Amino acid sequence: GCVPELLATLAADRALAPRGRSLAVGWLEARDPARAAALLGGMLDEQALDLRRAAVAKLLADAAAGDAAAQLAAHRTALGAARDVDQVEAIATWLTEHGEPTDVAEVLGFIRRWRVSGEYDNVGGGGFAKQYPPEEGGAVPAATDWKPVASSHKHGEIDLNAAVAPKKGVLAGAVAEVEMTTAGQDEVRIGSPCAVAVWVNGRPVTAHESYHASEAIDQYVAAAEFRAGPNTVLVKCCQNEQTEPWAGEWKFQLRIPDP
């Protein structure tokens, strides 16, 4: 009697740690599935991402028995609520297949339009710490100085081998303008198999001198202050001199979601 009530109270209390609340939902599902399902129905805006994921999955499962209009409405709502990349991609695929083309990169917040420099020296890894323009003083290069590059990749990947040249022991810069409706703190999330550094409006945000160790969406996450209106994001992406075939990739992808 009182155990499901206590679990439901714990699960619903957003002041508690997300991990404990998730555990409470799991226990509640084993004791009172109807009550657990009712709780998940109100968790589409959860900060606890596993609970949000479960709420999205429940919304879609409940809609599966409905008509086409109900399923479409549910998938639209789910797309706005989902945060996990695989779940967003699955929902976007469903919407696209049902006559509503959905851009995964846009939903996930990837920046796809950049201006890319030519190559700079990174022999022996010396370029990572060296200041090249526009790192010095944060002056943004003129529009005619750097090559415009637009990504069609679903995760906004910028391939510098294609944009610059497939070379080793070099680095390149990439700059993008990001429009923000309000000022405040958001997250810069970058992934790359190469050494990378990021500046926002001329201020250093994150730097990782690691080569060909791994690559993933949101590999590196850092907070940054943005102003209302246009903001400048600068990326330095460095390629080393390893000759193995798997070390040939020279690329990055970056997105800016709210926390």
Side-chain angles (χ1 to χ4, degrees):
C2 67
V3 171
E5 281 188 27
L6 177 59
L7 291 173
T9 299
L10 293 172
D13 188 349
R14 297 194 179 194
L16 299 178
R19 195 169 178 184
R21 294 176 58 226
S22 299
L23 191 60
V25 170
W27 286 342
L28 186 61
E29 284 175 334
R31 290 165 172 78
D32 192 338
R35 185 175 290 188
L39 272 175
L40 285 175
M43 291 183 167
L44 289 173
D45 62 343
E46 267 292 336
Q47 293 297 310
L49 292 184
D50 54 343
L51 293 179
R52 184 186 286 246
R53 182 186 180 93
V56 169
K58 179 183 183 302
L59 171 67
L60 297 177
D62 290 348
D67 60 20
Q71 291 188 44
L72 183 60
H75 278 79
R76 286 171 176 164
T77 300
L79 186 67
R83 294 294 181 268
D84 289 337
V85 172
D86 64 324
Q87 201 172 47
V88 168
E89 290 182 343
I91 296 166
T93 297
W94 188 98
L95 286 168
T96 299
E97 291 173 349
H98 288 79
E100 199 162 288
T102 303
D103 189 331
V104 170
E106 183 177 346
V107 173
L108 292 173
F110 284 102
I111 301 175
R112 291 177 292 178
R113 295 187 179 278
W114 298 82
R115 285 186 289 118
V116 176
S117 74
E119 65 191 69
Y120 293 93
D121 178 56
N122 190 42
V123 171
F128 184 81
K130 183 176 178 180
Q131 280 197 326
Y132 291 104
E135 296 169 61
E136 297 174 313
V140 179
T144 55
D145 290 346
W146 286 15
K147 175 183 176 181
V149 175
S151 174
S152 59
H153 190 275
K154 68 177 181 178
H155 297 151
E157 181 180 291
I158 299 297
D159 183 355
L160 294 171
N161 282 327
V164 182
K167 293 186 177 182
K168 307 294 289 184
V170 294
L171 65 85
V175 67
E177 187 174 277
V178 179
E179 192 79 21
M180 292 293 192
T181 55
T182 59
Q185 190 176 88
D186 288 281
E187 290 182 344
V188 173
R189 298 176 172 226
I190 187 169
S192 176
C194 305
V196 288
V198 183
W199 294 256
V200 172
N201 296 325
R203 295 189 176 189
V205 170
T206 188
H208 299 273
E209 193 176 8
S210 176
Y211 290 96
H212 310 300
S214 64
E215 176 194 4
I217 292 173
D218 301 344
Q219 182 180 13
Y220 305 120
V221 179
E225 290 294 330
F226 290 84
R227 55 195 176 215
N231 295 263
T232 300
V233 178
L234 171 68
V235 172
K236 174 194 274 188
C237 188
C238 307
Q239 174 64 294
N240 68 0
E241 296 158 282
Q242 289 179 247
T243 57
E244 297 89 347
W246 47 263
E249 292 186 331
W250 183 25
K251 61 185 181 179
F252 72 91
Q253 39 85 354
L254 184 148
R255 68 184 186 128
I256 304 176
D258 65 43

